[in-house]
Amino acid sequence: MATAPANNLPIFYNDLLPLSTVDHADYKSRNVDSAPFLTSQHAVPLTIDEFVTAQRFAPIIFSAGSDSVPLLLMGLNEGVNIFLDDEGKLRGPAYVPAYVRRYPWMLAKLRPDSEELSLCFDPTSPALGAFDEGTPLFEDGKPSELTQGVLKFCEDFEQAAARTGQFVRELQEMDLLMDGEVSIQTPIADQPFVYRGFRMINEEKLRDLRGDQLRKINQSGMLPLIYAHLFSLQLMREIFEAQISQGKGPITAPAAPANAATPAEG
């Protein structure tokens, strides 16, 4: 259903440039009312800080593979995002992950031998440029209030991402993650549509945790996050039905098993 990004640049980013007081002195930021880059993305990275709010709108899963990351599932099939129209505008109430709200900005290492992170941006974004109108990125040669806010948001995101990585590592150490499978029976096919290719919490192993392990995840705040994930899985059918209503769902009998959220015979 979903795997972590494998290329050098994170998803959505076409390029990265470090923000410079010299090269970008006249740059401004302007508001955009759509996110066309998100229309074909069905799964978006999510931090644990967002679990409680996000679980009300869409399923939270974990990517397949050893380096698993939490993902907000905005569609069950590759290339489908039920929350956006074809222009990239929200159809209605939705949770937009911080990963998306951060774009086109991010903190990145400029040199592999340094741990220092610099504020960078995607120069292909229509939100930033030497525009006549917009909010300046620099004032009197110094970062503007907007740029300082962007930097704070990116720093907070990095900290949340670090906490999320620790959360997943602890799940793996307790062997609580398993390969997921969701079966959805519909009137349009004799066989159910089965979605695989993701990971989820193993509820049986969760119930069988030793007392000391259960106490640890309760005191650390992991337990509510685990249940936010589990409760959110109930939204799988709603996402599926929304795809059908938008004409983006499977319209034929289930096919042979395949990667990334394609229907398969059970």
Side-chain angles (χ1 to χ4, degrees):
M1 181 176 290
T3 54
N7 53 14
N8 292 329
L9 286 173
I11 57 172
F12 306 150
Y13 294 83
N14 299 305
D15 195 5
L16 276 179
L17 289 179
L19 184 64
S20 165
T21 55
V22 176
D23 298 334
H24 311 118
D26 59 346
Y27 268 41
K28 295 179 181 178
S29 174
R30 62 184 180 186
N31 292 329
V32 293
D33 62 355
S34 63
F37 59 86
L38 186 57
T39 57
S40 60
Q41 189 66 38
H42 75 298
V44 179
L46 194 72
T47 69
I48 57 173
D49 294 32
E50 306 172 87
F51 272 30
V52 173
T53 301
Q55 59 93 21
R56 296 166 43 219
F57 296 92
I60 300 169
I61 62 170
F62 296 85
S63 63
S66 56
D67 295 326
S68 195
V69 296
L71 300 167
L72 188 68
L73 203 57
M74 306 184 83
L76 295 191
N77 292 79
E78 290 278 4
V80 176
N81 187 322
I82 68 158
F83 294 97
L84 301 178
D85 62 20
D86 293 338
E87 296 179 354
K89 296 182 179 180
L90 287 173
R91 295 178 181 271
Y95 182 77
V96 180
Y99 186 98
V100 177
R101 289 181 275 123
R102 178 185 62 162
Y103 182 82
W105 302 97
M106 73 174 295
L107 292 175
K109 294 180 184 179
L110 298 183
R111 297 185 321 213
D113 59 343
S114 173
E115 293 300 315
E116 183 179 355
L117 297 175
S118 299
L119 184 61
C120 300
F121 68 97
D122 184 347
T124 68
S125 168
L128 301 175
F131 310 131
D132 292 333
E133 297 181 353
T135 305
L137 300 184
F138 295 100
E139 295 175 342
D140 299 326
K142 297 180 180 180
S144 66
E145 184 176 344
L146 180 142
T147 302
Q148 293 177 46
V150 166
L151 178 60
K152 178 66 165 56
F153 185 90
C154 290
E155 289 174 342
D156 290 345
F157 180 86
E158 291 298 321
Q159 294 170 7
R163 290 191 292 271
T164 303
Q166 181 60 34
F167 171 74
V168 173
R169 284 190 292 273
E170 292 186 22
L171 292 179
Q172 292 172 327
E173 289 172 3
M174 290 184 287
D175 196 26
L176 287 178
L177 287 178
M178 69 175 186
D179 291 337
E181 180 177 298
V182 173
S183 177
I184 300 177
Q185 183 71 59
T186 72
I188 67 174
D190 294 333
Q191 296 292 329
F193 289 89
V194 179
Y195 289 87
R196 304 187 181 98
F198 67 101
R199 307 194 79 192
M200 59 184 287
I201 297 292
N202 187 323
E203 290 189 72
E204 183 177 346
K205 288 189 176 180
L206 179 63
R207 288 192 296 267
D208 290 341
L209 283 179
R210 300 191 314 266
D212 61 320
Q213 292 176 313
L214 188 59
R215 184 166 55 254
K216 175 184 176 182
I217 64 173
N218 183 41
Q219 292 177 341
S220 68
M222 289 179 64
L223 199 55
L225 301 174
I226 288 172
Y227 279 108
H229 150 69
L230 290 173
F231 292 154
S232 76
L233 297 179
Q234 302 300 316
L235 296 174
M236 287 281 197
R237 175 170 285 277
E238 291 186 24
I239 301 293
F240 182 89
E241 291 174 350
Q243 288 188 179
I244 298 294
S245 67
Q246 294 174 16
K248 299 178 180 179
I251 57 176
T252 59
N259 291 328
T262 51
E265 287 187 359

